[in-house]
Amino acid sequence: QVQLVESGGGLVRPGESLRLSCIASEFALDYYAMAWFRRAPGKDVEGVSCISTSGDPRYFIDQTKGRITISRNVAKKTVYLQIDNLEPEDTAVYYCARAQTPGANSCPDSLYDYAAWGQGTEITVST
């Protein structure tokens, strides 16, 4: 059974950093594009970043560019999301997701193209 388990969230102050982890089971990370999404309070789910089957990153949100780095360790079956210089606007539940189509070396734009989701890990950025 495919499982995605996120961890690494927490309560932090503005300017601090966090690294989120997503551990995958029952499939290989280099066979599916993997993405991070987030849902801020009162807002819709939005894509944050994606890493393709070949390991190429893509960032969906302009205001996070330069502050967010997606990476993976295929052997450990883990996808990471490093967020530096956290801002209150980064407060959200962050979800890890696996693309629906295997083997495609691209990152789908729509959340509906992702078939497996984790339970989420929450980041709260506050003074």
Side-chain angles (χ1 to χ4, degrees), residues 4 10 18 24-25 28 64 87 93:
L4 300 172
L18 281 176
S25 62
T64 64
E87 302 172 353
V93 178

Side-chain angles (χ1 to χ4, degrees), residues 15-111:
E16 293 182 342
S17 299
L18 281 176
R19 188 177 79 159
L20 307 182
S21 299
C22 170
I23 298 176
S25 62
E26 303 300 326
F27 67 95
L29 288 186
D30 52 356
Y31 204 56
Y32 288 88
M34 298 291 296
W36 286 94
F37 290 81
R38 69 184 184 185
R39 185 196 295 270
K43 295 187 178 181
D44 293 332
V45 173
E46 63 177 350
V48 177
S49 183
C50 174
I51 188 163
S52 71
T53 54
S54 60
D56 296 323
R58 180 179 174 186
Y59 300 97
F60 295 119
I61 306 176
D62 285 341
Q63 69 262 29
T64 64
K65 288 180 180 177
R67 299 193 295 115
I68 285 183
T69 304
I70 190 170
S71 61
R72 68 182 186 185
N73 184 318
V74 173
K76 291 186 177 180
K77 291 195 166 185
T78 305
V79 181
Y80 304 99
L81 189 72
Q82 174 77 31
I83 311 176
D84 298 318
N85 194 21
L86 279 154
E87 302 172 353
E89 292 73 22
D90 295 318
T91 294
V93 178
Y94 286 74
Y95 299 92
C96 174
R98 188 193 80 173
Q100 182 169 327
T101 303
N105 188 28
S106 63
C107 283
D109 289 327
S110 171
L111 63 91

